[in-house]
Amino acid sequence: MRVPAPDKRFFRGQIRKFYARSGRHFKWRREADPYRVLITEILLKKTTAKKVETIYDRFFAEYSGWGDLMSAKPRDLRRDLRHLGLQKQRTKALGKLAQVLRIKHGNKVPSTYDGLVSLPGVGRYTANAVLCFAYGEPRPVVDVNVARVLQRFFGLPPTRDVNRDEPLWELAKQLLPKGHFKEHNFGIIDFAARICGAVRLKCVECGLAPRCAYFTTGHGANNKNS
Ligand code: SF4
């Protein structure tokens, strides 16, 4: 899908304004250390940012590098991850990741897409997040929430598997600005959380509304939360 330049500019501009005004400023967003960025992305899976925020400082004080994760007792890791839920799975996943990083990559997080997706538990979203937030590459990050915003605004059908939706990723790539692409990605993530929720939509206060396909075709107006 080729997006007309004015629509791209409008979308980017509104996301930029929204992020400047209402973006969330989590500690990890100021972080560019690949170890911390990768681990944080893994911690953020299947939980809320608020919960990760609660354990963030303590966790990285205890596990400041791959060596600490490798030598950690599973019982201790489970205890330290309990607040996020799924602590058994997370403990296993982090242990496996630390092992592969040590054996195959000399404790260095790969800086290529192929290297990242070859790691256990690292898929398209996480690989792009590490490349963008740690290595400063202009990469889109698309999870189900970001996908929802793009699909509503551009009038695309919902998708079953976001990771395999090539047109959606291509669209997200086209929308990246030349600079400040980290903030752009954070902005869409926060916009999805605060304005264009799965159930709660705030269309009447949404800066994207004038050109949003979902809203201008009457859907948003019918939502009781709009
Ligand atoms: S107008 Fe409504 S549906 Fe469209 S982007 Fe804004 S909140 Fe989402």
Side-chain angles (χ1 to χ4, degrees):
M1 173 185 183
R2 293 294 321 161
V3 181
D7 285 349
K8 278 194 242 180
R9 275 200 301 274
F10 177 77
F11 184 89
R12 283 186 203 123
Q14 289 302 324
I15 292 297
R16 189 175 59 239
K17 275 189 207 161
F18 166 80
Y19 189 64
R21 198 178 54 237
S22 312
R24 299 177 295 180
H25 297 285
F26 300 116
K27 276 186 182 169
W28 55 84
R29 290 188 172 177
R30 297 193 300 270
E31 190 56 69
D33 173 57
Y35 167 76
R36 284 191 174 222
V37 172
L38 175 53
I39 296 294
T40 305
E41 287 301 329
I42 287 169
L43 298 183
L44 283 165
K45 285 181 185 176
K46 297 190 174 152
T47 189
T48 62
K50 259 194 174 356
K51 285 191 175 178
V52 173
E53 204 172 25
T54 317
I55 67 156
Y56 185 81
D57 285 337
R58 214 171 347 112
F59 187 86
F60 283 106
E62 192 69 34
Y63 310 101
S64 62
W66 295 109
D68 295 332
L69 272 182
M70 272 295 293
S71 57
K73 290 197 177 84
R75 189 189 53 206
D76 294 342
L77 247 182
R78 278 201 300 276
R79 179 201 61 213
D80 294 335
L81 292 167
R82 195 165 46 215
H83 186 66
L84 307 183
L86 301 173
Q87 57 270 32
K88 261 192 193 169
Q89 293 92 317
R90 287 184 209 277
T91 297
K92 255 192 182 167
L94 288 178
K96 212 166 155 194
L97 183 60
Q99 204 174 16
V100 172
L101 251 302
R102 188 179 62 117
I103 295 168
K104 294 195 176 163
H105 300 278
N107 280 342
K108 198 171 171 332
V109 177
S111 57
T112 63
Y113 181 81
D114 288 345
L116 283 160
V117 292
S118 74
L119 300 174
V122 175
R124 190 174 195 170
Y125 178 95
T126 306
N128 272 9
V130 172
L131 290 171
C132 181
F133 305 144
Y135 292 117
E137 282 189 26
R139 296 265 180 171
V141 292
V142 186
D143 63 4
V144 286
N145 299 311
V146 170
R148 180 178 66 245
V149 174
L150 299 183
Q151 284 158 350
R152 284 179 179 161
F153 183 78
F154 291 101
L156 306 172
T159 189
R160 285 174 81 92
D161 184 351
V162 170
N163 273 331
R164 289 171 198 261
D165 191 331
E166 295 304 330
L168 194 63
W169 281 86
E170 175 52 38
L171 169 64
K173 193 172 157 193
Q174 283 182 52
L175 292 169
L176 281 175
K178 282 208 163 47
H180 301 289
F181 34 82
K182 277 190 198 185
E183 291 76 10
H184 172 84
N185 282 330
F186 293 144
I188 308 181
I189 292 167
D190 289 355
F191 187 85
R194 291 194 157 162
I195 303 290
C196 193
V199 181
R200 281 183 64 84
L201 295 84
K202 299 181 180 170
C203 298
V204 289
E205 59 184 83
C206 174
L208 291 177
R211 290 187 188 216
C212 172
Y214 190 82
F215 183 69
T216 54
T217 53
H219 292 87
N222 291 334
N223 187 296
K224 64 181 182 341
N225 295 309
S226 68

